[in-house]
Amino acid sequence: MQEPLLGAEGQDYDTFPENPPPSLGERTRVGAPQNKRVFLATFAAVLGNFSFGYALVYTSPVIPALEHSPDPNLSLTKVQASWFGSVFTLGAAAGGLSAMLLNDLLGRKLSIMFSAVPSVAGYALMAGARGLWMLLLGRMLTGFAGGLTAACIPVYVSEIAPPGVRGALGATPQLMAVFGSLSLYALGLLLPWRWLAVAGEGPVVIMVLLLSFMPNSPRFLLSRGRDAEALRALAWLRGADADIGQEFQQIRDNVQRQSSRMSWAEARDPHVYRPITIAVLMRFLQQLTGITPVLVYLQPIFNSTAVLLPPEEDAAIVGAVRLLSVLIAALTMDLAGRKALLFVSASVMFAANLTLGLYVQFGPKPVTPNITVGLENAPLGDTEQPLATPTGSLTLVPLLATMVFIMGYAMGWGPITWLLMSEILPLRARGAASGLCVLVSWLTAFALTKSFLLVVNAFGLQVPFYFFAAICLVNLVFTGCCVPETKGRSLEQIESFFRSGRRSFLR
């Protein structure tokens, strides 16, 4: 390339200047939330993320149940279990790929609503499964729906949210995904695996019903020449008493500058490829922290380590901690800023992954080898290491370290990567680029999830955790060198920053 892609010196690539907090009048002009309808529209959209989070961890309680299934057509071997856990991410990658087209063809709202079709079909297949192929197809379809919503919902939310609360609202997709996972863990203690699939269809139906009454993104409507409809949508989102003239004109001017489709030659311009590359690398590094294999195999991981509580209860506790952490991030993101939370998040995940690796290698072992979904064929590590007793205090370490890891992820690298993706991508490429980010993310997740069990069986459970810890150090460097601070900036200001690099555009 002709110039450095990331971390270039000088004005051409600098983070946003530290400005004093805007006055009350300035906050009102940039779209302080005077109308609560924007929260209703956000809630309707992020129900898709609830279903995504629910479907993602569906295998955690289901794999152990299928290991003991009396039906030979449904009893899973270790290889089949690895496919059952990982095929979801292949579907999610396909969903992200389709979003590159649907996001701009149908619009953000209709693309989210369209995701209900494969989601309902997938849950129905798993609920009525009579063989392995129905389970795998159901997982892939729910993964497709999850990948589609993962690309469309953050863009929709960022485009309807006022700058003053965009950080908080931008965290709601991750918050609802976490709440969906927690709901699955909790219901897994009460319901058989078929009814877990039936229960997953409820939020999808509610999402479609609510979104039917919500407006489309004003930016998308303007890009299609539907100015009057865009004005009505913005007025509905901001309230009848809000002065939307300046905001509407700013959005329309930005859309008009980018009314034509982007060519490949334009994609090589720094103001285009820099934000896209940052967003893609953030999604790639986010997955390399190990979050997806940990969530997918959470209960089996606890089964293969010495833990004080039953593994299914440990999984539910971790889900509750994850929900609390994302809630804290949503409340602090517009106060602390994105970069500060990313630094803290990566540091916490590094410490937790290193602790888990050291515990697995040198700590106590389970009293008996795991007989449900063992991650290894034999107890981990050397047989000379002490066996854990059910009441040993040291057996709290896997639970506590996993809780800390999930907490670190959920307060930074979980929600902020989605938020930054929707904030920094240029408008003309936002639909396709967000799909590319999801595609890269879930292909990475598939590679990790499919290889996780193989690596554990070959080298031990500690090896993946050491690798994840090393990636967290890379994330720290990447955040410091490449990630801009977007707190309190409108989408048009952020785009002007990448386009010009001049601080005056941000004052």
Side-chain angles (χ1 to χ4, degrees), residues 58-68 76 81-82 84-85 296-297 300 372-373:
Y58 178 76
T59 53
S60 183
V62 173
I63 287 179
L66 292 179
E67 279 285 319
H68 298 290
L76 298 181
S82 71
F84 188 46
V296 169
Y297 300 119
T372 55
V373 192

Side-chain angles (χ1 to χ4, degrees), residues 16-20 26 489 493 502-507:
F16 294 128
E18 294 294 332
N19 289 338
E26 291 172 332
R489 310 296 178 182
Q493 286 177 319
R502 288 162 50 189
R503 294 171 182 264
S504 59
F505 274 76
L506 302 170
R507 292 186 188 277

Side-chain angles (χ1 to χ4, degrees), residues 149-335:
T149 57
C152 300
I153 292 176
V155 175
Y156 178 75
V157 171
S158 71
E159 290 186 347
I160 67 172
V165 293
R166 196 175 61 245
L169 293 183
T172 54
Q174 180 71 14
L175 179 66
M176 289 298 286
V178 171
F179 187 50
S181 298
L182 175 60
S183 300
L184 185 282
Y185 292 138
L187 289 176
L189 300 174
L190 305 173
L191 299 178
W193 64 272
R194 292 187 187 275
W195 283 102
L196 286 177
V198 174
E201 296 185 345
V204 180
V205 175
I206 297 173
M207 177 195 72
V208 173
L209 292 176
L210 288 179
L211 277 178
S212 300
F213 300 98
M214 300 299 118
N216 215 321
S217 159
R219 287 173 175 83
F220 170 76
L221 295 173
L222 282 170
S223 70
R224 291 297 179 266
R226 296 150 64 179
D227 292 25
E229 188 178 350
L231 183 60
R232 289 195 300 270
L234 188 61
W236 189 91
L237 291 166
R238 300 295 182 260
D241 298 330
D243 181 10
I244 62 173
Q246 181 179 349
E247 182 182 6
F248 182 77
Q249 187 61 43
Q250 185 183 37
I251 296 173
R252 182 164 60 182
D253 290 344
N254 190 50
V255 170
Q256 288 176 348
R257 287 196 301 267
Q258 307 177 62
S259 57
S260 61
R261 286 188 174 272
M262 180 174 296
S263 65
W264 285 108
E266 291 176 298
R268 293 196 292 268
D269 289 342
H271 76 273
V272 174
Y273 71 69
R274 279 178 178 163
I276 292 176
T277 304
I278 291 173
V280 169
L281 286 178
M282 286 195 73
R283 300 292 297 130
F284 178 68
L285 291 173
Q286 180 201 49
Q287 288 294 344
L288 288 183
T289 62
I291 184 63
T292 300
V294 168
L295 291 177
V296 169
Y297 300 119
L298 185 59
Q299 187 170 324
I301 287 174
F302 285 139
N303 277 332
S304 294
T305 56
V307 288
L308 184 61
L309 298 175
E312 60 273 14
E313 294 182 13
D314 287 329
I317 293 172
V318 169
V321 170
R322 186 177 171 216
L323 177 64
L324 177 63
S325 303
V326 175
L327 183 60
I328 293 173
L331 297 176
T332 60
M333 200 176 296
D334 285 315
L335 298 175

Side-chain angles (χ1 to χ4, degrees), residues 397-416:
V397 171
L399 173 61
L400 295 177
T402 305
M403 288 169 59
V404 170
F405 168 72
I406 295 295
M407 182 182 300
Y409 174 83
M411 68 187 300
W413 275 86
I416 293 180

